[in-house]
Every structure is written in structure tokens, then in C-alpha cells.
Amino acid sequence: MRDDIASIIINEEDFRDVAENTIEPWVEKDFTKGKFTSYDGTKLAYYYNINPDEKASIVMCHGMGEFFPKYYEMAYYFYNMGYSVFFIEHRGFGFSDRAVEQLDHIYVKDYSEYVDDFREYMDKIVTKESNTKNYILFAHSMGGCIGTLFLEEYPEYFKAAILNSPMHKMNLGQFKPWQVKIICGLATTFGKGNDVVPGQREFDGVNVWEKSSSISKARYDYQFDKRLAVPEYTTYAGTHAWTRASLKAANKCLANAGKIKIPVLLCEAGLDTLVDNDGHTSFVAATDNTTLRAFPESKHEIFNATPEIREEYLNVVFDYIDSVLK
């Protein structure tokens, strides 16, 4: 392992203590927090910390059911490796405005809303606060889909991108895409768009680490406790409208992938049950400058895997960033 990474990486047994007594006070003290008004009046929560020795700015784009504290550890690593960190909670997540009353329901009409929000965020916050104007996208899962759509529509913003288990193709289990499209389309048409899609469940406060996308119990428990303590972090269950929009967005990601010309690092989890890795194969084939790194023994959240996988992952990520900034 690189010495600079070895000096900051957090062990499994130390994670809770470091998270609560080192990282949380750092976030509270050093991060600027606020809300900005997006294109349609939606107010979105953001967080950033400018490194005085900034090599580049890491702009994070989170996944389904996620929130800022889930990325505290990665933000800590990025900052300590010399990068400024920017984070936005998408509409319907965390402390950003929601279109529905149920805090645990995930709802969006179309992913163009997420993409347009992200451009507003880049223009109103990131580009005005960053020092170097070197922007690197760090996006996970649903955020990888949003990030891909953004790169396809707005190619001028980012120098490079890191896509973690990006949702380029959904894992629908026993269902065919056309079946899900019909079910969700009919539900949305008849006013049931905010109902939870079959296979999803509302937040019930039950810890399900064994069935989760995380291998690290310490990290899962810490993040789960945040959900128990903060109602805004219970966003959990995909609705018919969100699922319908997600299918459409994933298809668009692959259809327009050839428009992406910047370097992309795509990190793939071999034990992923949420996204279909065939989508990554298609994405790599359609782009000219994508590096695929597979982690065969990892679940969906590679940054929450075993110590050995996390160490390998962090080395891959920071080696890649170093290479694109040369």
C-alpha cells in the first residue's frame, strides 16, 4: 500500500471511534454547509471543504437512499490526500427538498431533474469556490447514472470521472425490463407513482447488514445508526415513478456513452446484486477512454468492503487521480 494512504486508512475495529471523535468534529468545524435554489425553486443541501493546498476538487454524486454522512470517510481520505471536497444531496434525499411527504420514499419524475440540479450546483457552488478549477467526478450507483448523463450532456466541466458500481443497467431479478416498464408506467398513470415498487420496502428500523451491499459491519452499523437518529436519512424505498425514470436513464446512459471523451475509471463489484455488470461491459465498449477495474469479491459498495478490498480500492483510486492530473 502507498505510504500516504497507509497513514490515514481507518481499520475496521477503529472505525466507530475515528468516525465519531475525529471525522465528525472535522466535518462540523471545517465544512461549509448550506442550500442553494435550483432551476425550479427546489432547495438542495450542499457541503464543501476547500483544501488550501488543493490539487483538484472532488465532486461527489451519491447513490440511491444515501446521504452525506455515508461519505464522511471518503471525504476524509480525499481531503487528507490534498483535494477539496464537494457534496450535494440530490432532491428527495437528506436535507434537500422533496416532492413527496414520506421521508423514506425515493421519487423523481425524470433523471433530467437530477442532471439539471447538478449543473446548477456546479455553476452556483463548485466553480465559484474551487481554487484550481480541476474537477473530478466521484459518483456511486444511481449517482453513477446521474454522473454519466451529466458527462454526456455537459462534457466541458470535468477533467476525469470515477464511477463506482454505476447504474448503467439495473438488476431486476426475475423481471424483464419491459415488464417493469409496463408495471411502473401503469402505476404512475393511475396516480400510484409514489407507491413503493414490489421488491422494495419502507424504512422499518431493522438492521439488515447481512443482506446489505456493505461487507464492513462497522461502517454499515454507523451509517444505519445515522438513519435511526435522523429522519431525513431514512430515504430507502424506490417508488414506481423512480423505477420508471431509472430504467429510462440507464438506457440513455448506454445509448449516449460514446459522447464521453474524458478519462473514466469504472470500478466494478463482482458480487453486485443491485446493478447488472453487463451494463459496464457495454459502457466500456462504447467509450474510448474508460479503465475498468474489477473487484471480484466485493459487494456493491466497494468502499465499504473488506479491509483488503478497501486498501486495493483506495490505491487504485488515488493512483488514477494522480495519473490524470499529470
Side-chain angles (χ1 to χ4, degrees):
M1 189 196 308
R2 291 171 42 160
D3 290 341
D4 51 357
I5 296 174
S7 68
I8 60 172
I9 195 168
I10 305 169
N11 296 326
E12 180 80 3
E13 60 271 19
D14 298 329
F15 179 76
R16 173 75 70 159
D17 178 65
V18 175
E20 293 181 344
N21 297 308
T22 299
I23 299 180
E24 287 184 8
W26 167 69
V27 169
E28 184 62 31
K29 176 178 178 292
D30 292 346
F31 270 77
T32 296
K33 312 171 187 67
K35 290 187 176 183
F36 73 94
T37 303
S38 193
Y39 67 96
D40 62 351
T42 301
K43 290 182 170 52
L44 303 175
Y46 67 84
Y47 314 81
Y48 68 82
N49 190 353
I50 304 300
N51 192 312
D53 301 315
E54 177 187 304
K55 301 176 187 176
S57 289
I58 308 297
V59 185
M60 308 177 89
C61 188
H62 71 78
M64 173 188 179
E66 296 184 335
F67 45 92
F68 183 37
K70 188 166 183 175
Y71 288 85
Y72 278 178
E73 182 181 13
M74 287 305 301
Y76 178 76
Y77 292 153
F78 282 128
Y79 186 88
N80 280 281
M81 292 293 285
Y83 303 96
S84 294
V85 179
F86 290 84
F87 193 97
I88 178 178
E89 288 176 332
H90 302 304
R91 61 175 60 210
F93 295 89
F95 288 94
S96 292
D97 285 355
R98 300 163 186 265
V100 297
E101 292 183 2
Q102 301 95 327
L103 291 177
D104 58 352
H105 285 205
I106 302 173
Y107 176 91
V108 75
K109 291 181 180 178
D110 191 90
Y111 272 49
S112 61
E113 297 175 41
Y114 293 141
V115 173
D116 290 345
D117 288 341
F118 209 75
R119 184 179 184 184
E120 291 277 312
Y121 177 55
M122 292 298 298
D123 289 344
K124 292 183 176 180
I125 306 298
V126 179
T127 60
K128 292 184 177 180
E129 301 298 338
S130 175
N131 289 329
T132 62
K133 311 309 175 187
N134 285 331
Y135 310 121
I136 295 175
L137 176 67
F138 179 86
H140 173 65
S141 192
M142 180 192 83
C145 181
I146 296 169
T148 298
L149 294 172
F150 185 89
L151 295 175
E152 292 170 353
E153 189 166 351
Y154 303 110
E156 69 275 13
Y157 282 86
F158 286 98
K159 187 177 184 68
I162 300 166
L163 305 180
N164 298 287
S165 308
M167 193 189 74
H168 289 153
K169 186 176 182 180
M170 300 177 75
N171 186 340
L172 301 174
Q174 62 182 329
F175 294 100
K176 302 295 184 182
W178 65 266
Q179 294 174 315
V180 177
K181 184 177 180 181
I182 290 175
I183 292 170
C184 293
L186 288 172
T188 302
T189 299
F190 288 99
K192 301 295 184 180
N194 187 37
D195 286 2
V196 175
V197 73
Q200 294 285 302
R201 62 188 181 87
E202 297 174 328
F203 184 72
D204 58 9
V206 177
N207 184 308
V208 290
W209 169 69
E210 295 87 352
K211 298 179 180 179
S212 76
S213 295
S214 172
I215 299 177
S216 169
K217 190 175 190 304
R219 287 161 175 80
Y220 177 89
D221 287 348
Y222 172 80
Q223 295 156 9
F224 188 79
D225 287 347
K226 292 296 182 186
R227 294 188 191 275
L228 293 176
V230 182
E232 288 81 4
Y233 294 159
T234 60
T235 312
Y236 208 73
T239 61
H240 288 105
W242 176 86
T243 303
R244 183 189 192 189
S246 296
L247 282 171
K248 176 183 174 184
N251 288 336
K252 188 176 180 181
C253 276
L254 296 182
N256 296 325
K259 294 181 178 180
I260 298 177
K261 303 303 180 184
I262 65 169
V264 175
L265 171 64
L266 196 160
C267 296
E268 178 181 280
L271 304 181
D272 207 321
T273 60
L274 298 183
V275 303
D276 186 335
N277 287 341
D278 286 348
H280 303 158
T281 303
S282 299
F283 180 85
V284 172
T287 52
D288 297 324
N289 205 6
T290 298
T291 300
L292 175 65
R293 287 298 300 261
F295 297 82
E297 301 303 317
S298 179
K299 291 185 177 182
H300 184 63
E301 297 174 4
I302 305 170
F303 43 81
N304 287 331
T306 64
E308 295 77 16
I309 293 172
R310 291 198 307 272
E311 290 174 8
E312 179 187 359
Y313 170 75
L314 289 174
N315 276 274
V316 168
V317 166
F318 285 110
D319 284 350
Y320 187 79
I321 295 174
D322 287 347
S323 71
V324 297
L325 291 179
K326 287 182 179 177

